[in-house]
Amino acid sequence: GAVVSQHPSRVICKSGTSVKIECRSLDFQATTMFWYRQFPKQSLMLMATSNEGSKATYEQGVEKDKFLINHASLTLSTLTVTSAHPEDSSFYICSTQLSSGNTIYFGEGSWLTVV
Amino acid sequence: GENVEQHPSTLSVQEGDSAVIKCTYSDSASNYFPWYKQELGKRPQLIIDIRSNVGEKKDQRIAVTLNKTAKHFSLHITETQPEDSAVYFCAASVYGNNRLAFGKGNQVVVIP
């Protein structure tokens, strides 16, 4: 069954508005989650590392004030795209891993379309 | 940071033939190399992985080989089937570190 649940799977929003995407670990605690963005026909690009109880670590070139990450509990991390623009339209996906082993689990992903 | 390069970008094979995708990595500290299959609009699915303490790993029709000296690893798919058509990504990281660096992906098309 699913280990990581992400929603919404699809969302359409107007330019200038904000959109929140949630990523939940099911039946286990995830101290760290990762957020990726994938443009059509391109690879997954790491945006930021979400750490429970502390500030997220952003990759170079990713605006932390635009992509707000909150990891307030051990089972939930959220990514909020603020003041969305059409160029933010993309596939956003989170990942995490169980404390034992190294298998990395991805959420289902969220398609964001900004109109 | 780690830089993973993947080639070819597209690969077409006849059903039943083999497909090989190659990746190179730059960081000698990387010791974990997973391969993911991604169908359009869906999450990446882990199909096989290898750690640097072995040179080859096989799972039915899929195998991965690793050359630590040359810093490259390859995915081999034998007896390809139409359902193998997808985008395949290689990745590299330090084992236990969830922070994956992905290659650019390879579109594999299996022609019936």
Side-chain angles (χ1 to χ4, degrees), chain A residues 52-86:
Chain A
E52 187 271 334
S54 65
K55 292 183 179 181
T57 303
Y58 290 81
E59 295 300 305
Q60 189 173 11
V62 178
E63 301 176 59
K64 61 180 181 181
D65 294 331
K66 180 170 181 62
F67 298 99
L68 300 179
I69 290 175
N70 185 282
H71 197 151
S73 78
L74 287 170
T75 60
L76 175 65
S77 176
T78 61
L79 168 68
T80 301
V81 182
T82 63
S83 187
H85 292 288

mmCIF file of all heavy atoms in Angstrom, chain A residues 52-86:
data_model
loop_
_atom_site.group_PDB
_atom_site.id
_atom_site.type_symbol
_atom_site.label_atom_id
_atom_site.label_comp_id
_atom_site.label_asym_id
_atom_site.label_seq_id
_atom_site.Cartn_x
_atom_site.Cartn_y
_atom_site.Cartn_z
ATOM 1 N N GLU A 52 11.532 18.321 10.064
ATOM 2 C CA GLU A 52 10.527 18.480 11.100
ATOM 3 C C GLU A 52 11.059 19.357 12.229
ATOM 4 O O GLU A 52 12.145 19.116 12.760
ATOM 5 C CB GLU A 52 10.102 17.115 11.641
ATOM 6 C CG GLU A 52 8.921 17.179 12.613
ATOM 7 C CD GLU A 52 9.353 17.366 14.055
ATOM 8 O OE1 GLU A 52 10.476 16.980 14.408
ATOM 9 O OE2 GLU A 52 8.547 17.905 14.843
ATOM 10 N N GLY A 53 10.319 20.390 12.544
ATOM 11 C CA GLY A 53 10.658 21.248 13.665
ATOM 12 C C GLY A 53 11.723 22.288 13.398
ATOM 13 O O GLY A 53 12.123 23.013 14.316
ATOM 14 N N SER A 54 12.188 22.367 12.170
ATOM 15 C CA SER A 54 13.195 23.386 11.862
ATOM 16 C C SER A 54 12.965 23.942 10.466
ATOM 17 O O SER A 54 12.086 23.465 9.738
ATOM 18 C CB SER A 54 14.607 22.805 11.980
ATOM 19 O OG SER A 54 14.810 21.800 11.013
ATOM 20 N N LYS A 55 13.765 24.914 10.098
ATOM 21 C CA LYS A 55 13.595 25.529 8.785
ATOM 22 C C LYS A 55 14.020 24.590 7.664
ATOM 23 O O LYS A 55 14.939 23.785 7.824
ATOM 24 C CB LYS A 55 14.419 26.817 8.715
ATOM 25 C CG LYS A 55 13.904 27.941 9.615
ATOM 26 C CD LYS A 55 14.742 29.200 9.434
ATOM 27 C CE LYS A 55 14.208 30.328 10.303
ATOM 28 N NZ LYS A 55 15.010 31.580 10.131
ATOM 29 N N ALA A 56 13.358 24.766 6.549
ATOM 30 C CA ALA A 56 13.709 23.958 5.387
ATOM 31 C C ALA A 56 15.024 24.447 4.778
ATOM 32 O O ALA A 56 15.402 25.613 4.935
ATOM 33 C CB ALA A 56 12.602 24.025 4.348
ATOM 34 N N THR A 57 15.690 23.555 4.110
ATOM 35 C CA THR A 57 16.928 23.897 3.393
ATOM 36 C C THR A 57 16.613 23.941 1.907
ATOM 37 O O THR A 57 16.158 22.947 1.344
ATOM 38 C CB THR A 57 18.014 22.850 3.660
ATOM 39 O OG1 THR A 57 18.235 22.739 5.065
ATOM 40 C CG2 THR A 57 19.306 23.247 2.962
ATOM 41 N N TYR A 58 16.867 25.079 1.285
ATOM 42 C CA TYR A 58 16.510 25.261 -0.117
ATOM 43 C C TYR A 58 17.727 25.088 -1.022
ATOM 44 O O TYR A 58 18.845 25.452 -0.664
ATOM 45 C CB TYR A 58 15.908 26.643 -0.333
ATOM 46 C CG TYR A 58 14.533 26.799 0.293
ATOM 47 C CD1 TYR A 58 14.388 27.072 1.647
ATOM 48 C CD2 TYR A 58 13.393 26.651 -0.486
ATOM 49 C CE1 TYR A 58 13.138 27.194 2.223
ATOM 50 C CE2 TYR A 58 12.133 26.782 0.083
ATOM 51 C CZ TYR A 58 12.011 27.047 1.435
ATOM 52 O OH TYR A 58 10.759 27.164 1.983
ATOM 53 N N GLU A 59 17.468 24.545 -2.191
ATOM 54 C CA GLU A 59 18.529 24.407 -3.191
ATOM 55 C C GLU A 59 18.792 25.771 -3.833
ATOM 56 O O GLU A 59 17.944 26.671 -3.827
ATOM 57 C CB GLU A 59 18.121 23.390 -4.253
ATOM 58 C CG GLU A 59 17.973 21.982 -3.720
ATOM 59 C CD GLU A 59 19.237 21.438 -3.114
ATOM 60 O OE1 GLU A 59 20.284 21.424 -3.808
ATOM 61 O OE2 GLU A 59 19.199 21.021 -1.937
ATOM 62 N N GLN A 60 19.964 25.865 -4.382
ATOM 63 C CA GLN A 60 20.348 27.126 -5.017
ATOM 64 C C GLN A 60 19.376 27.476 -6.134
ATOM 65 O O GLN A 60 19.020 26.612 -6.946
ATOM 66 C CB GLN A 60 21.770 26.994 -5.578
ATOM 67 C CG GLN A 60 22.359 28.294 -6.077
ATOM 68 C CD GLN A 60 23.824 28.134 -6.470
ATOM 69 O OE1 GLN A 60 24.347 27.030 -6.563
ATOM 70 N NE2 GLN A 60 24.500 29.243 -6.693
ATOM 71 N N GLY A 61 18.949 28.705 -6.153
ATOM 72 C CA GLY A 61 18.044 29.174 -7.191
ATOM 73 C C GLY A 61 16.578 29.032 -6.857
ATOM 74 O O GLY A 61 15.724 29.504 -7.618
ATOM 75 N N VAL A 62 16.250 28.401 -5.751
ATOM 76 C CA VAL A 62 14.855 28.248 -5.343
ATOM 77 C C VAL A 62 14.515 29.332 -4.324
ATOM 78 O O VAL A 62 15.178 29.458 -3.296
ATOM 79 C CB VAL A 62 14.604 26.855 -4.735
ATOM 80 C CG1 VAL A 62 13.155 26.727 -4.266
ATOM 81 C CG2 VAL A 62 14.946 25.772 -5.740
ATOM 82 N N GLU A 63 13.481 30.113 -4.614
ATOM 83 C CA GLU A 63 13.113 31.230 -3.730
ATOM 84 C C GLU A 63 12.342 30.721 -2.510
ATOM 85 O O GLU A 63 11.213 30.231 -2.630
ATOM 86 C CB GLU A 63 12.244 32.218 -4.499
ATOM 87 C CG GLU A 63 12.902 32.814 -5.734
ATOM 88 C CD GLU A 63 11.935 33.697 -6.481
ATOM 89 O OE1 GLU A 63 11.432 34.674 -5.877
ATOM 90 O OE2 GLU A 63 11.655 33.423 -7.660
ATOM 91 N N LYS A 64 12.934 30.869 -1.353
ATOM 92 C CA LYS A 64 12.292 30.363 -0.144
ATOM 93 C C LYS A 64 11.036 31.141 0.216
ATOM 94 O O LYS A 64 10.127 30.600 0.859
ATOM 95 C CB LYS A 64 13.272 30.373 1.027
ATOM 96 C CG LYS A 64 13.792 31.749 1.400
ATOM 97 C CD LYS A 64 14.751 31.644 2.576
ATOM 98 C CE LYS A 64 15.260 33.013 2.996
ATOM 99 N NZ LYS A 64 16.218 32.916 4.132
ATOM 100 N N ASP A 65 10.961 32.399 -0.175
ATOM 101 C CA ASP A 65 9.772 33.182 0.144
ATOM 102 C C ASP A 65 8.617 32.867 -0.800
ATOM 103 O O ASP A 65 7.469 33.197 -0.514
ATOM 104 C CB ASP A 65 10.086 34.673 0.085
ATOM 105 C CG ASP A 65 11.059 35.093 1.174
ATOM 106 O OD1 ASP A 65 11.050 34.444 2.241
ATOM 107 O OD2 ASP A 65 11.829 36.042 0.946
ATOM 108 N N LYS A 66 8.940 32.271 -1.909
ATOM 109 C CA LYS A 66 7.903 31.908 -2.872
ATOM 110 C C LYS A 66 7.395 30.491 -2.629
ATOM 111 O O LYS A 66 6.219 30.196 -2.786
ATOM 112 C CB LYS A 66 8.438 32.008 -4.294
ATOM 113 C CG LYS A 66 7.403 31.650 -5.348
ATOM 114 C CD LYS A 66 7.878 31.988 -6.728
ATOM 115 C CE LYS A 66 6.812 31.626 -7.736
ATOM 116 N NZ LYS A 66 5.558 32.380 -7.520
ATOM 117 N N PHE A 67 8.293 29.620 -2.264
ATOM 118 C CA PHE A 67 7.930 28.223 -2.009
ATOM 119 C C PHE A 67 8.104 27.967 -0.506
ATOM 120 O O PHE A 67 9.174 27.589 -0.045
ATOM 121 C CB PHE A 67 8.813 27.292 -2.835
ATOM 122 C CG PHE A 67 8.671 27.483 -4.318
ATOM 123 C CD1 PHE A 67 9.589 28.237 -5.033
ATOM 124 C CD2 PHE A 67 7.604 26.915 -4.999
ATOM 125 C CE1 PHE A 67 9.463 28.417 -6.403
ATOM 126 C CE2 PHE A 67 7.465 27.084 -6.369
ATOM 127 C CZ PHE A 67 8.388 27.837 -7.077
ATOM 128 N N LEU A 68 7.012 28.164 0.206
ATOM 129 C CA LEU A 68 7.050 28.031 1.663
ATOM 130 C C LEU A 68 6.867 26.578 2.068
ATOM 131 O O LEU A 68 5.921 25.927 1.642
ATOM 132 C CB LEU A 68 5.941 28.889 2.296
ATOM 133 C CG LEU A 68 6.012 30.397 1.998
ATOM 134 C CD1 LEU A 68 4.837 31.106 2.666
ATOM 135 C CD2 LEU A 68 7.320 30.982 2.462
ATOM 136 N N ILE A 69 7.764 26.103 2.888
ATOM 137 C CA ILE A 69 7.695 24.724 3.336
ATOM 138 C C ILE A 69 7.517 24.705 4.839
ATOM 139 O O ILE A 69 8.235 25.380 5.576
ATOM 140 C CB ILE A 69 8.958 23.955 2.926
ATOM 141 C CG1 ILE A 69 8.961 23.767 1.404
ATOM 142 C CG2 ILE A 69 9.025 22.608 3.644
ATOM 143 C CD1 ILE A 69 10.208 23.141 0.865
ATOM 144 N N ASN A 70 6.552 23.899 5.261
ATOM 145 C CA ASN A 70 6.284 23.743 6.687
ATOM 146 C C ASN A 70 6.273 22.266 7.025
ATOM 147 O O ASN A 70 5.650 21.467 6.352
ATOM 148 C CB ASN A 70 4.928 24.377 7.031
ATOM 149 C CG ASN A 70 4.650 24.341 8.520
ATOM 150 O OD1 ASN A 70 4.264 23.308 9.056
ATOM 151 N ND2 ASN A 70 4.880 25.447 9.177
ATOM 152 N N HIS A 71 6.968 21.906 8.058
ATOM 153 C CA HIS A 71 7.045 20.496 8.481
ATOM 154 C C HIS A 71 6.778 20.463 9.975
ATOM 155 O O HIS A 71 7.665 20.187 10.777
ATOM 156 C CB HIS A 71 8.432 19.946 8.143
ATOM 157 C CG HIS A 71 8.520 18.459 8.139
ATOM 158 N ND1 HIS A 71 9.411 17.790 7.334
ATOM 159 C CD2 HIS A 71 7.844 17.517 8.821
ATOM 160 C CE1 HIS A 71 9.275 16.488 7.539
ATOM 161 N NE2 HIS A 71 8.336 16.308 8.435
ATOM 162 N N ALA A 72 5.540 20.770 10.319
ATOM 163 C CA ALA A 72 5.194 20.986 11.717
ATOM 164 C C ALA A 72 5.026 19.698 12.510
ATOM 165 O O ALA A 72 5.068 19.713 13.735
ATOM 166 C CB ALA A 72 3.906 21.808 11.804
ATOM 167 N N SER A 73 4.833 18.583 11.826
ATOM 168 C CA SER A 73 4.682 17.320 12.536
ATOM 169 C C SER A 73 5.514 16.252 11.844
ATOM 170 O O SER A 73 6.014 16.456 10.744
ATOM 171 C CB SER A 73 3.215 16.892 12.580
ATOM 172 O OG SER A 73 2.814 16.337 11.344
ATOM 173 N N LEU A 74 5.644 15.130 12.496
ATOM 174 C CA LEU A 74 6.467 14.052 11.948
ATOM 175 C C LEU A 74 5.796 13.296 10.811
ATOM 176 O O LEU A 74 6.401 12.399 10.225
ATOM 177 C CB LEU A 74 6.845 13.077 13.066
ATOM 178 C CG LEU A 74 7.882 13.602 14.058
ATOM 179 C CD1 LEU A 74 7.998 12.665 15.261
ATOM 180 C CD2 LEU A 74 9.240 13.749 13.384
ATOM 181 N N THR A 75 4.560 13.643 10.517
ATOM 182 C CA THR A 75 3.869 12.942 9.434
ATOM 183 C C THR A 75 3.376 13.865 8.337
ATOM 184 O O THR A 75 2.757 13.405 7.377
ATOM 185 C CB THR A 75 2.661 12.145 9.980
ATOM 186 O OG1 THR A 75 1.760 13.063 10.614
ATOM 187 C CG2 THR A 75 3.099 11.078 10.968
ATOM 188 N N LEU A 76 3.635 15.148 8.444
ATOM 189 C CA LEU A 76 3.087 16.081 7.469
ATOM 190 C C LEU A 76 4.078 17.169 7.097
ATOM 191 O O LEU A 76 4.633 17.846 7.951
ATOM 192 C CB LEU A 76 1.814 16.728 8.011
ATOM 193 C CG LEU A 76 1.178 17.828 7.138
ATOM 194 C CD1 LEU A 76 0.690 17.247 5.820
ATOM 195 C CD2 LEU A 76 0.035 18.517 7.891
ATOM 196 N N SER A 77 4.287 17.310 5.809
ATOM 197 C CA SER A 77 5.044 18.435 5.276
ATOM 198 C C SER A 77 4.185 19.104 4.213
ATOM 199 O O SER A 77 3.496 18.423 3.449
ATOM 200 C CB SER A 77 6.363 17.966 4.650
ATOM 201 O OG SER A 77 7.051 19.043 4.041
ATOM 202 N N THR A 78 4.214 20.429 4.178
ATOM 203 C CA THR A 78 3.431 21.144 3.182
ATOM 204 C C THR A 78 4.314 22.081 2.377
ATOM 205 O O THR A 78 5.288 22.636 2.894
ATOM 206 C CB THR A 78 2.299 21.966 3.829
ATOM 207 O OG1 THR A 78 2.869 22.937 4.708
ATOM 208 C CG2 THR A 78 1.353 21.068 4.600
ATOM 209 N N LEU A 79 3.958 22.214 1.113
ATOM 210 C CA LEU A 79 4.613 23.154 0.212
ATOM 211 C C LEU A 79 3.564 24.136 -0.263
ATOM 212 O O LEU A 79 2.541 23.723 -0.820
ATOM 213 C CB LEU A 79 5.220 22.416 -0.985
ATOM 214 C CG LEU A 79 5.696 23.279 -2.164
ATOM 215 C CD1 LEU A 79 6.906 24.109 -1.763
ATOM 216 C CD2 LEU A 79 6.038 22.397 -3.370
ATOM 217 N N THR A 80 3.791 25.414 -0.020
ATOM 218 C CA THR A 80 2.862 26.442 -0.473
ATOM 219 C C THR A 80 3.533 27.283 -1.541
ATOM 220 O O THR A 80 4.594 27.875 -1.295
ATOM 221 C CB THR A 80 2.412 27.341 0.690
ATOM 222 O OG1 THR A 80 1.790 26.540 1.696
ATOM 223 C CG2 THR A 80 1.417 28.389 0.200
ATOM 224 N N VAL A 81 2.926 27.284 -2.711
ATOM 225 C CA VAL A 81 3.412 28.133 -3.799
ATOM 226 C C VAL A 81 2.673 29.459 -3.671
ATOM 227 O O VAL A 81 1.455 29.521 -3.849
ATOM 228 C CB VAL A 81 3.142 27.490 -5.173
ATOM 229 C CG1 VAL A 81 3.704 28.365 -6.291
ATOM 230 C CG2 VAL A 81 3.737 26.089 -5.237
ATOM 231 N N THR A 82 3.399 30.499 -3.339
ATOM 232 C CA THR A 82 2.778 31.799 -3.111
ATOM 233 C C THR A 82 2.837 32.662 -4.368
ATOM 234 O O THR A 82 3.754 32.527 -5.182
ATOM 235 C CB THR A 82 3.462 32.544 -1.963
ATOM 236 O OG1 THR A 82 4.821 32.799 -2.334
ATOM 237 C CG2 THR A 82 3.444 31.713 -0.686
ATOM 238 N N SER A 83 1.828 33.504 -4.515
ATOM 239 C CA SER A 83 1.768 34.406 -5.659
ATOM 240 C C SER A 83 2.123 33.658 -6.946
ATOM 241 O O SER A 83 3.080 34.006 -7.655
ATOM 242 C CB SER A 83 2.714 35.591 -5.446
ATOM 243 O OG SER A 83 2.565 36.552 -6.470
ATOM 244 N N ALA A 84 1.368 32.629 -7.201
ATOM 245 C CA ALA A 84 1.690 31.730 -8.319
ATOM 246 C C ALA A 84 1.617 32.444 -9.660
ATOM 247 O O ALA A 84 0.765 33.314 -9.881
ATOM 248 C CB ALA A 84 0.747 30.536 -8.303
ATOM 249 N N HIS A 85 2.520 32.055 -10.550
ATOM 250 C CA HIS A 85 2.554 32.559 -11.922
ATOM 251 C C HIS A 85 2.482 31.379 -12.882
ATOM 252 O O HIS A 85 2.816 30.246 -12.501
ATOM 253 C CB HIS A 85 3.831 33.359 -12.167
ATOM 254 C CG HIS A 85 3.890 34.646 -11.402
ATOM 255 N ND1 HIS A 85 3.116 35.739 -11.726
ATOM 256 C CD2 HIS A 85 4.616 35.011 -10.317
ATOM 257 C CE1 HIS A 85 3.379 36.716 -10.886
ATOM 258 N NE2 HIS A 85 4.277 36.309 -10.020
ATOM 259 N N PRO A 86 2.091 31.625 -14.120
ATOM 260 C CA PRO A 86 2.017 30.514 -15.078
ATOM 261 C C PRO A 86 3.306 29.695 -15.175
ATOM 262 O O PRO A 86 3.253 28.482 -15.372
ATOM 263 C CB PRO A 86 1.685 31.221 -16.400
ATOM 264 C CG PRO A 86 0.878 32.410 -15.974
ATOM 265 C CD PRO A 86 1.524 32.863 -14.686
#
